[in-house]
């Protein structure tokens, strides 16, 4: 094979990939990605290039993708950098409404219409420093900000994953919430100022702001590492911070004696709360320590404030007093609106448990019939009767200490928070994996048992295929029970949660979206038939990437994607008020609130959404040609469900792919216990794995196979239907990032034939090392499984590409290929590094039996991309010299090992094998982060 050097300049890499891809007409088996990987691998083997040179190229490619991501992110926050304010659109909406219909304006701005929820999970893949630089550049893209972003991008920060703890996630959430509070205050000022211009009795207005909420520190679904005392401590710290914020706001009114006294009261309450947080932050496993903390918090004290009315009542008195100047009254109205929205915390609490945790309590404690172990109709009827006749139990912190069941402990904690920390803030009680109405009824019984149902919004989460299919009947059955109807009537709305991430994992994003829209409709219909005049609170949870429910467009498109205009219009027609909540998840989601500028743009976009009237969908073919649309849905869903249980799919996600994932949060990648295979992998990690393989198939695939015989009709409906067109554009965006050459390249890494061929004909250092790798791969099924999945996707994408090409606004194939060249370059480099790392371990001599491991074991670790583990094991077996000879420099007798050329350690092995292996592992992780930029998020 002729000797040549693979280009490492990004522009030349792109040319290499472009030129090789053009050769596919001559050689249909051409794979430009693996061709580059193979040449780079041989250059590393032959010493024509170095890992440090590869690292420099990775940095350049990473930064190019990062900057492109930041520029696109900035574009989504449309008003940043423009002459007008981010709230200009909101201001125009409010002014127009107030002028045309003052009473409707009053009704609109004083009703609860929705909110923003901050969630966490493993999405902190970018270091904190890099995210801050990203946000600063997106907010103000100057030369200085760009230089800082570039510096942060080239700093791998290897210690970052160890810094991601629950406490860290909570701090990051609180930073984002602080900026969101600023934006909420700005919206409040617009409402009040508009009212002053349009309403004679403007002082009587009590605006309701879009709410802020957080489950960071309170979410126990799938994790057992959050102790109840941590949640109490975090809530106390949040309360102390919010009291300090209110104090700062009141300091502007020192001339008012009432408010000066209130500020003094707040100072005492803040000190008391901080002291309580300090006590609950100690080790409460000691009963004496717990008793001290509990007694301090629960004791009567003039310093305590547990009801926000203590703050808002004096403000209302001054606002309504005609002697209070208009400017002051308006400022106090703004502050009162913020207090009404947040009460005595920085954000509302979202607790979350799993349905199984609730079910366990009910089966254990309520003596349900054993033949009704799945909580069927008998259990529902019994629980409904019990919920209607529940005697409230007293609760103290000793009860929390002694209680063993997670679900009951959460209800007890709600009681203690409402009694002793914040009496007026509604608490959301989310129940994940809800598939049975008796679980919700049981939760209502427990809520009444602990006297918290008056402030607790019990919310089932529909995310599994079964739940999405039966959710409408689920709610219908609940509403048949008088106890549940009374509960909803008292709360004023029914709360539900829909999981875009998990539904997209099981049945694909497009089918998942269709199923979610359907369940919105079915639940709205059920509620409208029984309780017209109430509200339906829909919390749509999603991540920031297309594979987890985030629409790849403007905020308006995203919000209409989550809760469609058709759904909103149908709810209003049934006299049901839609209340829409959306999530911003973890490091990627918090970026939207990382600076005041970004936060205002994000919050303003949400305000525009909830203030707007839903667009008419009367002529949308998606809603008129329902037989065809739902036939397509069933076929699409079946395609994904069949793939999800395929053994080759399990092989693809069950081996080396997990090694590409970096630790990105405090919650585990897989659920403890429960099912195995892809079902055990969380939605974030599942989506991240597909990203890292270059095939976001849960968004891009299945459509081509859904209705292959009616492509023309599908094309016509897509062109005529805004709703279906939007869904197909999401899938098209994913298709632009889908690369079968990338997936087949990874298959080639695991193909023993490739290793044998290169060992014979390649330009490599040690042919025997490659043959050892090939031998280890002899019984490995990864290559075959990846190729089978690639073949399956190829058949589907051929049909989908034909459909896309027939659309009115089809993206060009040329632009798709050109736009993913950097993406291909990253994968090709990673495949070369995988080959090189395996080749390095293939050079090992046979290991001594005393080490209880073999060369094949080391190679297998690297095959699983557990490169650091392999390096650690090798370092333990072959320790380096540690300078011990210097300790004996005063011994006069000559010796060999203690001489200047000591070989007591394995320094050469470290230099030539272990150190490069570690560098390969580090570069693989950096490439994982870089790859995520193409998708706009991690996972």
């Amino acid at each position: 094979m002729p000797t040549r050097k693979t280009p490492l300049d990004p522009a030349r890499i792109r040319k290499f990939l472009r030129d090789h891809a053009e050769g596919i007409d001559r050689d249909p088996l051409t794979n430009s990605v693996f061709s580059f990987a193979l040449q780079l691998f041989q250059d590393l083997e032959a010493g024509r290039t170095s890992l440090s040179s590869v690292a420099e190229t990775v940095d350049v490619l990473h930064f190019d993708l990062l900057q492109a991501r930041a520029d696109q992110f900035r574009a989504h926050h449309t008003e940043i950098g423009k002459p007008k304010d981010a709230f200009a659109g909101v201001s125009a909406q409010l002014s127009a409404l107030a002028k045309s219909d003052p009473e409707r304006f009053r009704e609109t701005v004083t009703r609860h219409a929705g909110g923003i929820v901050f969630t966490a999970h493993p999405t902190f893949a970018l270091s904190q420093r890099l995210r801050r630089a990203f946000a600063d550049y997106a907010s103000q893209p100057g030369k200085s900000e760009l230089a800082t972003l570039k510096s942060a991008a080239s700093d791998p920060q290897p210690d970052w994953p160890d810094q991601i703890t629950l406490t860290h996630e909570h701090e990051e959430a609180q930073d984002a919430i602080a900026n969101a509070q600023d934006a909420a205050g700005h919206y409040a000022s617009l409402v009040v100022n508009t009212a002053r211009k349009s309403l004679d009795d403007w002082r009587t207005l009590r605006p309701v702001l879009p709410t802020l909420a957080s489950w960071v520190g309170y979410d126990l679904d799938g994790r057992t590492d959050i102790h109840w005392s941590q949640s109490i401590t975090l809530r106390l710290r949040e309360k102390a911070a919010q009291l300090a914020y209110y104090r700062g706001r009141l300091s502007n009114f020192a001339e008012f004696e009432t408010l000066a006294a209130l500020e003094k009261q707040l100072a005492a309450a803040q000190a008391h709360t901080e002291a309580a947080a300090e006590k609950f932050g100690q080790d409460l496993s000691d009963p004496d320590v717990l008793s001290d903390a509990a007694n301090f918090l629960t004791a009567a004290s003039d310093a305590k404030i547990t009801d926000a009315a203590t703050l808002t009542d004096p403000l209302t008195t001054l606002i309504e007093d005609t002697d209070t100047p208009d400017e002051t009254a308006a400022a106090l109205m703004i502050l009162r609106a913020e207090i009404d929205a947040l009460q005595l915390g920085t954000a509302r609490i979202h607790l979350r448990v799993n349905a199984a945790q609730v079910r366990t309590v009910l089966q254990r404690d309520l003596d349900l019939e054993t033949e009704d172990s799945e909580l069927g109709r008998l259990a529902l009827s019994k629980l409904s009767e019990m919920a209607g006749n529940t005697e409230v139990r007293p609760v103290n912190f000793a009860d929390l200490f002694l209680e063993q069941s997670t679900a009951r402990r959460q209800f007890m904690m709600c009681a203690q928070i409402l009694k002793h920390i914040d009496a007026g803030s509604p608490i959301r009680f989310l129940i994940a994996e809800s598939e049975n109405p008796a679980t919700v009824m049981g939760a209502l019984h427990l809520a009444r048992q602990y006297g918290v149902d008056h402030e607790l919004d019990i919310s089932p989460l529909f995310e599994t295929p079964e739940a999405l299919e039966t959710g409408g009947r689920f709610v219908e059955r609940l509403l048949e029970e008088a106890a549940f109807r009374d509960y909803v009537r008292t709360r004023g709305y029914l709360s539900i949660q829909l999981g875009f991430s998990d539904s997209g994992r099981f049945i694909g994003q497009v089918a998942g979206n269709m199923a979610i829209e359907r369940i919105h409709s079915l639940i709205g219909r059920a509620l409208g038939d029984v309780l017209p005049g109430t509200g339906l609170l829909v919390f749509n949870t999603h991540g920031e990437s297309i594979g987890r429910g985030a629409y790849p467009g403007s905020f308006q498109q995203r919000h209409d994607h989550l809760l469609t205009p058709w759904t909103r219009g149908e709810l209003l027609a049934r006299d049901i008020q839609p209340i829409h909540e959306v999530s911003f998840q973890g490091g990627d989601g918090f970026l939207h609130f990382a600076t005041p500028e970004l936060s205002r743009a994000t919050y303003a976009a949400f305000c525009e959404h909830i203030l707007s009237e839903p667009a008419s969908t009367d002529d949308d073919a998606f809603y008129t040609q329902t037989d065809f649309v739902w036939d397509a849905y069933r076929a699409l869903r079946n395609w994904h469900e069949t793939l999800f249980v395929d053994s080759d799919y399990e092989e693809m996600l069950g081996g080396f792919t997990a090694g590409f994932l970096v630790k990105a949060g405090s919650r585990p990648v897989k659920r403890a216990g429960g099912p195995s295979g892809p079902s055990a992998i969380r939605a974030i990690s599942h989506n991240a794995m597909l990203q890292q393989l270059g095939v976001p198939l849960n968004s891009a695939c299945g459509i081509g196979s859904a209705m292959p015989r009616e492509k023309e009709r599908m094309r016509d409906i897509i062109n005529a239907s805004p709703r279906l067109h939007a869904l197909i554009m999401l899938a098209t965006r994913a298709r632009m990032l889908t690369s079968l050459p990338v997936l087949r390249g990874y298959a080639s890494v695991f193909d023993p034939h490739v290793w044998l061929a290169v060992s014979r004909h390649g330009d490599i250092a040690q042919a025997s090392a490659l043959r050892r790798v090939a031998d280890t791969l002899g019984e490995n099924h990864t290559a075959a499984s990846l190729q089978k999945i690639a073949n399956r996707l190829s058949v589907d994408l051929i049909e989908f590409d034909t459909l896309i090409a027939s659309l009115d606004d089809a993206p060009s194939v040329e632009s798709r290929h050109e736009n993913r060249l950097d993406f291909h370059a990253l994968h090709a480099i990673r495949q070369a590094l995988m080959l090189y790392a395996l080749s390095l371990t293939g050079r090992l001599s046979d290991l001594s039996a005393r080490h209880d491991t073999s060369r094949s074991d080391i190679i297998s670790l690297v095959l699983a991309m557990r490169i650091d583990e392999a390096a650690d094991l090798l370092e333990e077996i072959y320790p380096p010299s540690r300078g011990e000879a210097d300790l004996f420099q005063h011994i006069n007798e000559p010796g060999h090992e203690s001489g200047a050329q000591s070989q007591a350690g394995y320094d050469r092995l470290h230099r030539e094998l272990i150190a490069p292996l570690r560098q390969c592992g580090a570069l693989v992780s950096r490439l994982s982060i870089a790859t995520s930029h193409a998708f706009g998020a991690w996972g």
Side-chain angles (χ1 to χ4, degrees):
M1 181 175 180
T3 299
R4 54 182 164 177
K5 188 173 181 179
T6 304
L8 280 178
D9 173 70
R12 294 177 64 195
I13 295 175
R14 295 181 194 110
K15 184 177 185 305
F16 179 104
L17 292 167
R18 202 181 291 118
D19 291 346
H20 276 67
E22 289 173 358
I24 200 166
D25 291 335
R26 298 185 303 274
D27 179 7
L29 297 181
T30 291
N31 186 330
S32 60
V33 176
F34 194 65
S35 293
F36 182 86
L38 209 51
Q39 289 207 23
L40 179 55
F41 163 57
Q42 292 176 88
D43 283 346
L44 288 167
E45 274 279 301
R48 289 189 296 272
T49 193
S50 65
L51 289 174
S52 59
S53 296
V54 173
E56 291 173 5
T57 304
V58 169
D59 282 345
V60 174
L61 290 168
H62 177 203
F63 180 69
D64 287 347
L65 283 166
L66 177 67
Q67 185 178 6
R69 176 182 176 182
D71 289 338
Q72 186 177 44
F73 187 83
R74 172 180 165 78
H76 286 171
H77 300 73
T78 52
E79 303 303 336
I80 295 179
K82 292 186 178 180
K84 58 182 180 178
D85 177 72
F87 277 91
V90 177
S91 182
Q93 281 179 289
L94 292 172
S95 296
L97 184 58
K99 288 178 182 177
S100 64
D101 192 339
E103 284 309 307
R104 190 154 158 249
F105 165 80
R106 178 186 291 273
E107 190 275 331
T108 297
V109 300
T110 57
R111 70 166 183 249
H112 179 28
I116 288 166
V117 185
F118 295 89
T119 63
H121 293 340
T123 56
F124 295 87
L126 305 187
S127 71
Q128 189 176 57
R129 181 189 174 209
L130 182 54
R131 276 183 282 116
R132 285 174 176 168
F134 181 103
D136 289 342
Y137 172 76
S139 300
Q140 185 62 50
K143 290 183 179 179
S144 174
E145 290 78 9
L146 184 62
T148 301
L149 180 63
K150 190 168 187 177
S151 173
S154 62
D155 180 2
Q157 297 219 345
D159 295 334
W160 166 246
D162 295 331
Q163 299 169 23
I164 309 173
T165 63
L166 176 66
T167 299
H168 168 87
E169 290 176 0
H170 184 264
E171 290 170 354
E172 294 236 18
Q174 293 303 304
D175 288 343
I177 288 167
N179 285 329
Q181 284 191 27
D182 163 78
H186 193 73
Y187 172 70
S189 69
L190 287 179
V191 173
V192 171
N193 291 336
T194 303
R196 288 179 66 183
K197 296 174 185 175
S198 303
L199 303 179
D200 293 333
D201 58 346
W202 60 271
R203 292 194 187 210
T204 64
L205 191 74
R206 193 152 184 164
V208 174
L209 311 182
T211 56
L212 303 177
S214 173
W215 76 27
V216 185
Y218 309 100
D219 172 22
L220 296 185
D221 176 35
R223 64 188 301 169
T224 58
D225 60 325
I226 303 178
H227 192 263
W228 65 264
S229 63
Q230 285 179 284
S231 297
I232 293 288
T233 303
L234 293 175
R235 191 56 180 175
L236 287 167
R237 289 174 182 166
E238 291 168 15
K239 178 179 178 179
Q242 196 64 11
L243 293 177
Y245 173 77
Y246 293 151
R247 281 183 63 198
R249 295 292 301 279
L250 285 174
S251 66
N252 298 319
F253 307 99
E255 69 274 19
F256 291 88
E257 185 177 334
T258 302
L259 299 184
L262 186 58
E263 183 189 349
K264 193 173 181 179
Q265 186 179 1
L266 276 171
Q270 180 188 341
H272 183 274
T273 304
E274 289 170 346
E278 183 69 25
K279 288 179 178 292
F280 273 89
Q282 300 177 51
D283 180 9
L284 298 192
S285 62
D286 184 335
D288 291 335
V289 175
L290 173 58
S291 298
D292 177 62
N295 291 338
F296 180 83
L297 180 61
T298 62
S301 171
D302 292 339
K304 282 175 61 174
I305 294 178
T306 57
D307 192 336
T310 305
L311 312 181
T312 55
D313 286 351
L315 300 185
T316 300
T317 300
L318 283 171
I319 291 166
E320 294 175 351
D321 188 341
T322 56
D323 291 335
T324 303
D326 285 353
E327 289 297 327
T328 301
L332 294 177
M333 287 175 66
I334 294 167
L335 175 57
R336 183 182 62 183
E338 293 183 68
I339 299 173
D340 283 344
L342 298 170
Q343 298 291 301
L344 301 181
T346 55
R348 296 187 179 187
I349 295 174
H350 276 208
L351 296 175
R352 192 165 75 146
V353 298
N354 193 279
Q357 293 167 323
V358 177
R359 196 162 55 243
T360 297
V361 172
L362 301 178
Q363 291 168 346
R364 184 196 72 182
D365 294 357
L366 302 184
D367 195 27
L368 295 174
E369 297 291 334
T370 55
E371 64 267 22
D372 202 38
S373 61
E374 292 305 311
L375 300 180
R377 297 184 68 88
L378 176 63
L380 178 60
S381 298
K382 184 172 183 178
L383 287 164
S384 179
E385 180 183 347
M386 296 174 74
N389 300 280
T390 302
E391 183 177 339
V392 176
R393 293 180 177 181
V395 178
N396 63 22
F397 282 104
D399 294 330
L400 266 168
F401 179 89
L402 296 170
E403 179 57 50
Q404 296 299 309
S405 69
T406 299
R408 191 179 286 281
R409 198 163 52 226
Q410 292 297 85
F411 285 104
M412 292 177 172
M413 188 171 73
C414 289
Q416 294 302 83
I417 289 173
L418 291 170
K419 279 193 296 182
H420 303 297
I421 300 176
D422 188 356
S425 183
I427 297 174
R428 188 71 48 78
F429 197 90
L430 302 166
I431 306 176
E433 297 185 353
S434 293
E435 296 182 353
N436 194 309
T439 306
V440 174
M441 187 60 71
L444 176 58
H445 162 69
L446 292 169
R448 288 184 169 167
Q449 191 174 73
Y450 293 107
V452 296
D453 56 296
H454 66 294
E455 289 291 0
L456 205 66
D457 290 325
I458 299 170
S459 177
L461 165 56
F462 302 110
E463 54 189 339
T464 64
E466 174 69 17
L468 291 173
E469 189 71 29
T470 62
R473 295 192 297 277
F474 179 114
V475 172
E476 282 181 4
R477 184 66 188 89
L478 277 172
L479 290 170
E480 291 175 6
E481 302 298 331
F484 191 76
R485 290 197 303 275
D486 291 344
Y487 167 71
V488 173
R489 196 178 288 112
T490 300
R491 296 300 301 141
Y493 50 83
L494 169 68
S495 297
I496 61 171
Q497 181 187 353
L498 282 303
F500 278 70
S501 295
D502 274 305
S503 61
R505 170 169 61 123
F506 292 119
I507 63 174
Q509 268 301 317
V510 173
N513 276 255
M514 296 170 75
I516 286 171
E517 183 175 21
R518 178 174 177 269
I519 199 173
H520 286 162
S521 173
L522 293 174
I523 292 175
R525 184 185 306 168
L527 188 61
D529 288 345
V530 178
L531 293 174
T534 55
L536 177 61
L537 191 157
V538 180
F539 174 28
N540 286 313
T541 61
H542 54 88
E544 287 301 310
S545 78
I546 45 179
R548 296 193 49 242
Y551 195 81
S554 67
F555 276 123
Q556 178 184 345
Q557 290 173 316
R558 177 190 289 209
H559 295 142
D560 284 346
H561 172 72
L562 297 172
L563 191 68
T564 64
W566 181 82
T567 297
R568 293 170 65 201
E570 188 182 55
L571 289 174
L572 290 169
R574 294 180 180 279
D575 194 21
I576 297 296
Q577 178 60 47
I579 305 169
H580 191 196
E581 290 186 349
V582 298
S583 65
F584 288 88
Q585 189 166 102
D588 296 314
F590 294 175
L591 279 172
H592 293 285
F593 296 87
T595 67
E597 296 86 356
L598 291 170
S599 180
R600 288 192 176 193
T602 306
Y603 193 90
F606 185 72
C607 290
E608 289 189 48
H609 165 65
I610 61 174
L611 289 171
S612 66
E613 293 293 323
S616 173
T617 58
D618 292 344
D619 298 327
D620 194 319
F622 183 84
Y623 303 108
T624 59
Q625 300 191 39
T626 54
D627 287 346
F628 178 83
V629 168
W630 288 104
D631 282 347
Y633 159 78
R634 282 185 284 271
L636 177 57
R637 171 176 171 168
N638 180 67
W639 189 92
H640 280 282
E641 290 185 321
T642 302
L643 175 68
F644 198 77
V645 297
D646 188 286
S647 60
D648 291 315
Y649 192 68
E650 181 177 353
E651 175 73 24
M652 183 176 83
L653 299 182
F656 76 99
T657 315
F660 290 158
L661 304 189
V662 299
K663 182 188 175 188
S666 67
R667 198 172 77 152
V669 168
K670 293 187 176 182
R671 293 182 178 275
S676 60
S679 294
I681 304 170
R682 296 186 187 280
I684 295 170
S685 305
H686 174 266
N687 202 57
M689 289 179 183
L690 296 179
Q691 287 180 0
Q692 296 304 319
L693 291 171
V695 285
L697 57 87
N698 59 340
S699 302
C701 298
I703 296 169
S705 303
M707 303 293 281
R709 297 180 181 176
E710 297 192 72
K711 281 186 292 189
E712 291 78 11
R713 187 177 179 188
M714 177 72 86
R715 176 203 62 206
D716 293 343
I717 294 179
I718 293 169
N719 285 331
S721 164
R723 172 58 173 156
L724 188 55
H725 183 270
L727 289 172
I728 296 301
M729 285 303 101
L730 179 147
T732 301
R733 168 63 179 160
R735 172 64 183 107
M736 302 287 279
L737 293 166
T738 299
S739 173
L740 296 185
V742 166
L743 184 60
R744 293 193 192 278
Y746 286 115
S748 295
V749 171
F750 291 87
D751 187 346
H753 167 71
V754 170
W755 287 92
L756 291 172
V758 177
S759 74
R760 185 169 183 178
H761 302 291
D763 182 11
I764 42 89
Q766 295 185 29
S768 59
L770 275 62
R771 288 195 289 272
R772 291 182 188 124
V773 176
D775 185 60
T776 303
L777 285 167
E779 299 301 320
N780 189 291
H781 302 292
T782 300
S785 290
L786 293 184
Q787 291 289 10
K788 287 178 183 178
I789 294 296
N791 292 341
R792 190 170 190 161
L793 301 185
S794 181
V795 171
D796 176 73
L797 290 175
I798 288 170
E799 298 289 347
F800 188 36
D801 288 346
T802 302
L803 176 63
I804 293 173
S806 70
L807 300 180
D808 291 345
D809 54 352
S812 70
V813 175
E814 292 75 19
S815 67
R816 182 180 84 208
H817 290 165
E818 190 66 23
N819 291 338
R820 68 185 187 190
L821 287 176
D822 283 358
F823 186 61
H824 275 178
L826 292 174
H827 284 285
I829 292 172
R830 182 157 63 186
Q831 289 167 17
L833 291 169
M834 293 169 70
L835 293 168
Y836 188 53
L838 287 164
S839 170
L840 288 171
T841 52
R843 299 178 191 177
L844 286 168
S845 303
D846 287 333
L847 278 62
S848 168
R850 67 186 176 87
H851 295 300
D852 198 26
T853 192
S854 66
R855 177 175 57 207
S856 181
D857 292 335
I858 300 293
I859 295 175
S860 294
L861 282 174
V862 177
L863 283 170
M865 288 297 99
R866 294 160 61 184
I867 298 177
D868 282 344
E869 289 181 52
D872 289 342
L873 186 55
L874 286 174
E875 191 160 286
E876 182 182 331
I877 295 170
Y878 301 112
S881 61
R882 293 163 294 185
E884 293 96 332
D886 293 339
L887 300 175
F888 303 102
Q889 58 183 308
H890 300 299
I891 289 183
N892 294 325
E893 183 181 11
H896 175 71
E897 296 296 344
S898 59
Q901 303 299 319
S902 172
Q903 299 296 315
Y906 295 92
D907 292 352
R908 181 177 177 183
L909 186 69
H910 277 260
R911 185 172 61 254
E912 296 181 358
L913 197 156
I914 298 176
L917 191 62
R918 283 200 185 282
Q919 196 169 356
C920 286
L923 284 171
V924 165
S925 293
R926 290 171 69 179
L927 286 161
S928 295
I929 301 299
T931 300
S932 72
H933 297 317
F935 298 88
W938 174 264

